[in-house]
Amino acid sequence: MNVYDSELVAGLLQKCGYFKTEDIMSADVIFLNTCAIREKAEETVHNRLNNLHYLKKKNPQLLLGVLGCMAQNLKNELLETKPFVDVILGPDSYRRIPEILNDRNGLQNHQVDTKLSKFEIYEDMFPSRHEGVNAWISISRGCDKFCTFCIVPFTRGRERSRSMQGIIQEVEEAVANGFVEITLLGQNVNSYRTGEGKFHVLLEKVAAVSGVKRIRFTSPHPQDMDDDLLKVIAEYENICNYIHLPLQAGSNRILKRMNRTYTQEEFLILVDHIRKFIPDCSISTDIIVGFPGEMDEEFAETLMVMESSAFDSAFMFKYSPRPGTKAAEYSDHIEEEVKQSRLEQVIALQKRLSLQQNQRHIGKILPVLVEKESKKSSMKWAGRTEGNTWVIFDKTNEKPKDIVNVLIQDAQGVSLFGERIMEKELVHEIN
Ligand code: SAH
Ligand code: SF4
């Protein structure tokens, strides 16, 4: 989401006549686009700002700004402790940038705008994207779910969806600029809805845009998964058979305390249902360990649900208290060593599950989208399966952005290894 927002801001800066520089010493403007989801992300920004303070001392003309969720969340602290920051803009205030840049010579005071909007969806702004295979496209902003651990509803405000027409126009532009994979983004991507329909209707429209080889989306909420969506995923070849399905925790008491709105049993039924609807669908997840009050037996349920869901991959986090959220107020926080030990256990389990899931592909021929040269050898490509797993294989006559058939021969760590199968051989094999 932040990569996309940075691309939006880069687009605005370009319109104002600025261009990107790789040399930080020569920059006239530096914006840090920040994340407040966990404490560590905030620490990183504080450290980075302390470093940038030196640049500002050398060049007082330098305009230094903090954008995004941390600006929203820590405005007062930033103003107090980092007075050398000139501009503080929350995630709904980026339209102010041209005006601030035009006025920069007349700027005396800090420019601060962290108002949240019920309407801002940056409809008519086009991002300036890095070259590559995948284009991120934000389809909705904000979140109304209020999970008790999460800062997003406070920093990004209420949920609102962009028009289908605006999104399709952006998809067409991305394709015209050479992107072949589209990832639709929203904090709750599958609760997207407009007068024209729900998320599955949008997905069908994106799938019909000519030149879109692959479509992904993130992050859906288990509560908003429905059969209409699963049908569309199963039906369209260019929609990846891959679903990110954040579990967070396995125990019903903890899920309730998190305000996740589903039970362990409902989650397990959903996983089963997805795999029946879309055979071979890859599923990844997010896990939080050490949520306030989580007992050993409750943590063991997280391990149990991970094991029975057999996730292909997972993003795993220690619970990080976010001031202002309900969970931060709970009195039964878990000690750091316990959180660390639980994190190590989920990581070890997921490593085993990922390998096990990857091994199921050995002997199969999978479509792989060629992305880049392998880091280990200039003779090999690295590409991804629909399930988002990297595949390494010898180069022949294909090029980046092609989708080719690869016979999977081995699975190691988190990667697959294989050999390109030419169309002719495939016909032979089928015969
Ligand atoms: N909207 C998505 C998640 C967005 S945040 C969803 O509901 O699934 C991405 C992930 O960060 C979350 O899924 C959660 O696992 C993690 N996360 C959010 N707040 C956190 C916190 N306070 N501490 C630790 N992890 C957190
Ligand atoms: Fe945060 Fe996701 Fe819950 Fe929204 S649904 S509050 S973004 S974790």
Side-chain angles (χ1 to χ4, degrees), residues 57-74:
K57 278 186 194 152
K58 273 197 192 148
N59 173 14
Q61 291 305 308
L62 172 69
L63 189 89
L64 192 56
V66 174
L67 312 180
C69 289
M70 197 178 144
Q72 185 68 45
N73 204 29
L74 295 184

Side-chain angles (χ1 to χ4, degrees), residues 37-38 149 187 246 248 260 286 288 317-318 320 322:
I37 197 84
R38 283 172 294 276
F149 53 80
Q187 294 298 341
Q248 313 298 2
R260 282 299 287 184
D286 290 349
I288 296 179
F317 313 102
K318 287 189 270 192
S320 169
R322 306 286 59 221

Side-chain angles (χ1 to χ4, degrees), residues 143-147 149-153 187-188 221 248 260:
C143 178
D144 291 345
K145 291 271 194 296
F146 287 93
C147 301
F149 53 80
C150 185
I151 195 77
V152 168
Q187 294 298 341
N188 256 298
H221 191 291
Q248 313 298 2
R260 282 299 287 184

Side-chain angles (χ1 to χ4, degrees), residues 15 44 56 73 119 145 169 173 200 262 277 388 397:
K15 264 196 182 162
T44 311
K56 180 85 183 171
N73 204 29
F119 310 104
K145 291 271 194 296
Q169 199 185 336
E173 197 192 83
H200 70 276
Y262 50 83
F277 236 100
N388 219 17
N397 61 351

Side-chain angles (χ1 to χ4, degrees), residues 297-353:
E297 313 84 84
E298 292 170 328
F299 169 65
E301 291 189 71
T302 299
L303 295 174
M304 184 277 285
V305 179
M306 287 173 72
E307 180 100 41
S308 31
S309 303
F311 295 119
D312 290 76
S313 64
F315 298 95
M316 294 157 282
F317 313 102
K318 287 189 270 192
Y319 168 71
S320 169
R322 306 286 59 221
T325 60
K326 196 164 172 196
E329 308 292 318
Y330 293 158
S331 57
D332 44 2
H333 283 262
I334 302 292
E335 281 171 38
E336 178 58 29
E337 301 88 88
V338 177
K339 285 190 203 170
Q340 183 59 34
S341 142
R342 289 181 185 168
L343 182 66
E344 285 165 20
Q345 290 177 64
V346 288
I347 291 174
L349 170 60
Q350 187 53 50
K351 213 169 148 188
R352 176 162 68 71
L353 294 175

Side-chain angles (χ1 to χ4, degrees), residues 30-149:
I30 300 177
F31 285 136
L32 293 190
N33 190 9
T34 63
C35 174
I37 197 84
R38 283 172 294 276
E39 210 171 359
K40 194 151 177 279
E42 283 184 10
E43 273 168 35
T44 311
V45 175
H46 277 296
N47 293 339
R48 195 68 191 275
L49 281 173
N50 288 338
N51 291 339
L52 292 174
H53 192 187
Y54 289 104
L55 280 184
K56 180 85 183 171
K57 278 186 194 152
K58 273 197 192 148
N59 173 14
Q61 291 305 308
L62 172 69
L63 189 89
L64 192 56
V66 174
L67 312 180
C69 289
M70 197 178 144
Q72 185 68 45
N73 204 29
L74 295 184
K75 169 179 74 176
N76 295 336
E77 187 187 324
L78 281 174
L79 283 172
E80 256 172 51
T81 65
K82 309 265 185 313
F84 53 90
V85 173
D86 305 291
V87 177
I88 299 180
L89 295 178
D92 287 346
S93 307
Y94 302 149
R95 281 183 202 272
R96 296 272 323 271
I97 288 174
E99 160 205 340
I100 288 173
L101 291 175
N102 288 338
D103 277 0
R104 63 174 296 193
N105 294 332
L107 273 186
Q108 300 296 340
N109 299 318
H110 293 106
Q111 297 290 307
V112 180
D113 188 345
T114 58
K115 275 194 300 294
L116 286 172
S117 157
K118 281 192 189 147
F119 310 104
E120 181 58 272
I121 35 175
Y122 297 117
E123 187 70 278
D124 46 353
M125 277 170 49
F126 283 96
S128 159
R129 296 197 164 86
H130 295 294
E131 274 178 31
V133 171
N134 176 71
W136 306 102
I137 298 189
S138 170
I139 65 162
S140 59
R141 298 183 74 87
C143 178
D144 291 345
K145 291 271 194 296
F146 287 93
C147 301
T148 57
F149 53 80

